[in-house]
Structures are given as C-alpha cells and as structure tokens.
Amino acid sequence: MNIKQAKEYIRNTVDLYLKKDSYGEYRIPVVRQRPVFLLGAPGVGKTAIMEQIAQELGIALVSYSMTHHTRQSALGLPFIEEKEFGGMKYQVSEYTMSEIIASIYDVMRESGIREGILFLDEINCVSETLAPSMLQFLQYKVFGRHKVPEGWVIVTAGNPPEYNKSVRDFDVVTMDRLKVLEVEADYGVWKEYAGNQGIHNVITSYLELKKEHFYKIETTVKGRSYVTARGWEDLSQILSLYEEEGLAVDETLVGQYLRNERIVKEFTAYYDLYNKYKKNYQVEEILAGAVPEEALVRARAASFDERLSLLSMLMDRMLGEIRDRTEKANYLNDLLIPLKALRSLAEKGGDMAVVADALERQAEGKRKTADSLRRANALSDSDWRKHRRVTAFLEQAKKALYIGDAATAAEAFEEVKKKFETEVSEMKAETAVTKARLHGLFAFVEEAFEEGNEMLILVTELTVNTAGARFIAMFGCEDYQRHNESLRLSERQENLMQEIEKLVL
C-alpha cells in the first residue's frame, strides 16, 4: 500500500483502540491491542503521517528512534532497594523508569492530554541486548517494570533488510503480535502532500517530467546511491533559502540531498532551465491579465515540457497567495469566537478595564492551549500560525485600549470591533485581488493552450490542493466552475461562503 492508505488504516486503528464502553473501559483490552508495524523503505514519510494522525485525532505523540537506545535507557537503570519481611531485611534490584515511558508522563503532565501514540521507529534495529525485551513490550506494553500508560497506542516502524544492514528479522512469535503494514513509495500521493506543504515548485515540476526519479535506491560500483522523499523535501527548504539570499545553486548543493549522480546532474540542469523560463515568461504580467504578446507566442509554440514548467510556475505563485488568503480567513473565523464572548461581557456594563482584562485572559488562554498542543505534537504548523495570529490580535487590541479614548466597556468593545472589521475588509480586498489574478491565470491558459491537457492539469491541481479547494469553496471561481462542471463543490461551497459572510460582530 502507499503511505496515504497506511495513514488511513493506522488512524482508524488508533481511533478504535481508544473507544470506551459505558463504564469507561477500553473496548479492546490493552493486551489485545496489537501494535502496528509499518514496514517500508527509508524516507517515504512514516514519521510525517504519525504527526498528521495525532493532530487530526487531537491526541499526543511521543516519537523515539530505537537505534538510539541502550538496554539501560529503554528499560531503566538498576538501583538497590532495601525491603523487610518477617523481621528479616534484604536487598533487591529495582529499576528507574524507562526513559521512553517517562517521556510519555512528561507530555501528559505538560499538555494535559492523556491519550496518544507512542511511535517507535527502526524497531527492528534494536541492539542485541535490548532485543529479548521487545516481545514483552509488544505484547504487554511494558518496558522494564513500567507499563505504557493506558490510552497510549503503540505504532512501530522499520526498514526492510535490503535497506539497512542492522535489521534483524523478527521471529514468528513476535510477528504474531503485530499488525504489519508494508508501505511503498508513491509519487502521486507525495505530490498531493507536496502541494499542501509548499514544496518548492521546481521540484514538483521536475518530478512531473521524471516521476521515476522520485524514489530510487540502488547499488553501484561506487556504493549505495539513493533518492528519497525526505531528500526532496529537505532540498526544497534549502533551495528557498538559497534563493532568498541570492546564492548560486549547483551540483554540490543538490548532491548533499540527492545521492544519485545522474539525478543530481539532471535536476541541476533542469533548475537552470527553470530559472531561464522565469526570465522569458513574465509571470506577474500574466496573472495581472496583461499578457505580453511574446510570452503568448512562445507558450503556443513551446514543447509540452516547457508548457508544464510554465504552468507550474504560475500555479506556484497562485497557490502561495491562495494559502495566505485561506489562512487569514481561517484566523478571522477563529477570532470571531472570543470576540463574541467579549461583546456579551461588554453589554453587561462596566469600564474599559473590564474589556481589557478579558482580552488579556483570552490571549493567555489561547497561548496556553497552543503551547500544550504543540508540546504534545498535536498541533499542525498552520494551526500553530492561526493560534499565534489570534493571540497577537487580542494582545494588540488590549494595548490599543490603554492608549485610546474608550472609557466604558461598550466603547472599548467598539474599538476592538473596528479593529476586527478593518482586518475583515482587508482580507476581502486581498481576496478580490487574488480572484482577479486567478481569472488571469485561467484566461491565459485558455488563450495559449485552449482546452488542452494544460487546462485539465490546472483544474486538477486546484481540486486536489487543500488550500486551492478551500479558497474556491469560500470565495467562488467562475472559471473553475465552468471548466469543472462535474466536480462542483456546491453544498460545501455554500457552507464556507456563509462562514465568510458571518464575519460580522
């Protein structure tokens, strides 16, 4: 199966393991909750999906790589304990709590979240001294003398032996206590992930042309060569920073992330060609609806590879804007909840300090919630940014009250309301500009490529990209609807558009 299918399967498993009966007991007893064993090549995204599952279920996540553990750190350190029975004193060996188990209690204490996933990576590479203890752990959730707390589901992962010389085969007794999922690299699934994560457009453009280069591990005369999904994602981040600083990208840099000489050469050459396309095609003018004639002529005569690269550049610029707009809309919708509570408080009367104090409490509560979720690895990057923006608004609104003229609670709320309405107006104005640029993109593709594959690619990318689909559902796009009659977002679109209309205090 691919990593997306594995994620759905694990998510369902965790969800079912955490279901309780009417007495508050877990429906599946702990001893029958088989740990999941995710078996797949390195760098396919095993750790990433665990973070996503925890965030989606609102539970905590504790991750460990078992190759970093000795018997002592995993099971605990011995110490001498003195006991007494029948008037006789004697000494016995006890053990401190396992570092792994202790980290679970730390997360529960710091976050307040009592259920979660314990993710142990490279479990089939444990040291020889630790291996005998794994069977007890996998069946009874016990490390040393300490149990994994109830409500914590164990998910493990490992690499097949052909990828790692340290791998030891589990015997039948051990395997019989696991739910084994074998995962393979799948570019189509990763591409969807890449679009939502903002992976550098030059990478997805290149891989559209060279899908066979997405994941490659082979043995050559010079040793093992490999290209993984992790490598592409890490390369994406460094490329963006290099471009920000105006630094030259060469084979030496690319080769630090892609360990295959031929792919390094081909990607670096494509990167140079991609930047050449950027100069030849005036992307901003195209999106603004003022398409230079030479750009139109060149696009019509271009090869499919060049057309695909051009479309990718346009989509990259467009989706970046769309992500910003949807994040701002999400933040304003989230902000509406504390502000409505603030309005109710202000209606009861009092002076300005009543509203200022309430803003401070709301900001502090929001900050604590975000910090707790983040410590538990249960908060996505986009939600983290949203929490920070809401907190910043509440803090700034409070400061503004102390330098303003508001005296009563009602006047203070009106000041906060004006600040909120200003941000809503700005969001709507920015959205109108983005919609116009999206129309410019559709108009260009229609004029340059008519109803060819390029239009199909454009519509498909907007459909599968989370931010793109949400933007269209929130704000509409006549061009998209016209070219995608069979994939209308009707009911969902109406609901999301109503959310925007409700941004009124």
Side-chain angles (χ1 to χ4, degrees):
M1 64 174 62
N2 61 46
I3 198 70
K4 186 176 182 180
Q5 293 167 328
K7 175 192 169 184
E8 188 64 21
Y9 188 89
I10 296 170
R11 188 186 189 282
N12 290 338
T13 297
V14 173
D15 197 28
L16 292 174
Y17 280 177
L18 295 179
K19 285 197 175 299
K20 297 179 180 179
D21 60 21
S22 57
Y23 298 101
E25 300 291 334
Y26 289 102
R27 296 276 298 275
I28 301 178
V30 171
V31 71
R32 297 296 176 204
Q33 292 185 8
R34 288 192 173 196
V36 175
F37 181 37
L38 198 56
L39 186 63
V44 295
K46 297 188 288 291
T47 303
I49 65 166
M50 299 316 305
E51 294 173 349
Q52 294 166 19
I53 291 169
Q55 291 159 8
E56 291 170 12
L57 294 178
I59 59 178
L61 172 68
V62 170
S63 298
Y64 270 97
S65 173
M66 293 307 294
T67 55
H68 299 158
H69 279 284
T70 63
R71 177 180 172 82
Q72 289 75 23
S73 64
L75 303 183
L77 295 171
F79 64 92
I80 303 300
E81 177 78 6
E82 188 173 277
K83 296 187 177 182
E84 181 179 346
F85 179 75
M88 182 180 71
K89 294 183 178 181
Y90 58 97
Q91 294 180 327
V92 297
S93 294
E94 293 287 356
Y95 287 84
T96 59
M97 182 175 283
S98 159
E99 179 184 316
I100 296 172
I101 305 296
S103 66
I104 295 176
Y105 283 102
D106 285 342
V107 166
M108 290 195 294
R109 175 175 52 81
E110 293 173 1
S111 69
I113 300 175
R114 302 187 67 84
E115 294 182 328
I117 299 170
L118 173 59
F119 178 58
L120 303 179
D121 199 6
E122 298 180 345
I123 197 171
N124 55 350
C125 296
V126 294
S127 64
E128 188 173 346
T129 57
L130 185 56
S133 302
M134 294 312 301
L135 179 59
Q136 180 190 31
F137 166 70
L138 293 173
Q139 183 170 8
Y140 298 107
K141 295 187 175 181
V142 174
F143 264 131
R145 297 190 179 183
H146 298 93
K147 285 187 176 182
V148 174
E150 279 198 345
W152 282 75
V153 177
I154 297 171
V155 180
T156 66
N159 304 138
E162 60 266 30
Y163 297 112
N164 193 328
K165 293 179 181 179
S166 302
V167 166
R168 61 176 70 247
D169 290 328
F170 286 149
D171 55 32
V172 174
V173 177
T174 304
M175 293 297 285
D176 193 39
R177 286 164 170 78
L178 299 170
K179 291 162 67 78
V180 182
L181 302 178
E182 296 188 17
V183 183
E184 296 180 349
D186 185 316
Y187 171 67
V189 171
W190 186 81
K191 180 187 173 186
E192 183 179 334
Y193 165 82
N196 293 324
Q197 292 295 314
I199 298 297
H200 198 298
N201 185 248
V202 70
I203 290 174
T204 51
S205 297
Y206 174 78
L207 291 176
E208 277 298 300
L209 303 173
K210 298 282 187 177
K211 293 182 177 67
E212 68 277 12
H213 289 178
F214 167 59
Y215 198 98
K216 202 174 191 68
I217 297 182
E218 57 188 9
T219 302
T220 68
V221 293
K222 295 183 179 180
R224 183 65 63 92
S225 76
Y226 52 90
V227 177
T228 69
R230 182 189 296 121
W232 286 115
E233 186 165 3
D234 291 346
L235 176 61
S236 168
Q237 293 185 338
I238 201 68
L239 285 179
S240 296
L241 290 174
Y242 260 60
E243 290 171 357
E244 284 180 22
E245 298 297 325
L247 301 174
V249 173
D250 56 18
E251 290 183 12
T252 300
L253 175 68
V254 175
Q256 294 166 12
Y257 299 88
L258 312 179
R259 304 297 295 172
N260 181 294
E261 287 187 9
R262 183 166 65 88
I263 295 176
V264 167
K265 289 182 181 297
E266 290 190 23
F267 175 77
T268 307
Y270 179 80
Y271 180 82
D272 293 338
L273 183 63
Y274 182 88
N275 286 323
K276 181 181 177 183
Y277 290 155
K278 270 188 176 180
K279 293 179 180 178
N280 292 337
Y281 292 102
Q282 296 161 314
V283 172
E284 282 302 317
E285 284 80 354
I286 290 174
L287 295 176
V291 183
E293 183 63 27
E294 60 271 23
L296 193 59
V297 171
R298 180 179 180 120
R300 286 171 175 164
S303 65
F304 181 70
D305 287 2
E306 184 171 336
R307 290 181 174 195
L308 193 60
S309 297
L310 170 59
L311 186 58
S312 294
M313 281 188 284
L314 292 166
M315 282 296 300
D316 183 54
R317 188 69 60 87
M318 201 68 251
L319 286 173
E321 283 186 31
I322 284 173
R323 275 192 294 271
D324 290 342
R325 304 298 172 261
T326 53
E327 283 200 1
K328 188 164 187 178
N330 292 338
Y331 140 69
L332 290 171
N333 273 313
D334 204 48
L335 183 59
L336 200 59
I337 298 171
L339 295 190
K340 283 184 176 179
L342 194 68
R343 179 180 60 191
S344 298
L345 181 65
E347 288 172 351
K348 295 177 181 179
D351 60 15
M352 179 272 291
V354 170
V355 172
D357 291 345
L359 285 168
E360 184 174 1
R361 290 194 302 273
Q362 288 175 337
E364 183 62 22
K366 199 73 177 175
R367 188 184 303 105
K368 285 182 177 179
T369 298
D371 288 344
S372 294
L373 291 171
R374 198 160 177 83
R375 278 195 292 269
N377 294 308
L379 193 66
S380 67
D381 290 341
S382 60
D383 283 338
W384 171 244
R385 290 192 294 271
K386 181 174 69 175
H387 277 279
R388 289 172 62 186
R389 291 179 81 168
V390 170
T391 302
F393 178 97
L394 297 172
E395 290 174 339
Q396 291 165 10
K398 177 202 165 188
K399 290 178 182 177
L401 291 180
Y402 281 109
I403 60 175
D405 299 324
T408 67
E411 291 172 343
F413 175 74
E414 283 302 315
E415 292 299 317
V416 177
K417 180 181 176 182
K418 286 178 185 177
K419 179 176 173 59
F420 175 75
E421 289 175 342
T422 298
E423 292 215 25
V424 172
S425 296
E426 289 174 355
M427 181 270 292
K428 290 184 175 181
E430 291 165 353
T431 298
V433 172
T434 299
K435 286 183 68 175
R437 286 162 65 80
L438 187 57
H439 171 70
L441 173 56
F442 270 98
F444 172 76
V445 173
E446 285 177 356
E447 190 173 3
F449 311 126
E450 298 178 344
E451 292 291 333
N453 287 332
E454 294 80 10
M455 182 60 74
L456 175 62
I457 292 169
L458 172 58
V459 172
T460 301
E461 290 297 317
L462 286 171
T463 302
V464 302
N465 183 274
T466 302
R470 186 170 176 82
F471 180 88
I472 292 170
M474 279 182 169
F475 306 109
C477 176
E478 293 180 4
D479 297 293
Y480 173 87
Q481 299 293 1
R482 181 160 45 86
H483 289 284
N484 194 35
E485 288 294 326
S486 62
L487 292 174
R488 285 189 186 276
L489 304 175
S490 56
E491 184 176 348
R492 179 64 178 146
Q493 179 178 355
E494 289 176 8
N495 292 339
L496 290 170
M497 290 180 74
Q498 287 172 10
E499 284 185 22
I500 301 304
E501 294 303 320
K502 290 178 181 176
L503 288 175
V504 178
L505 277 173

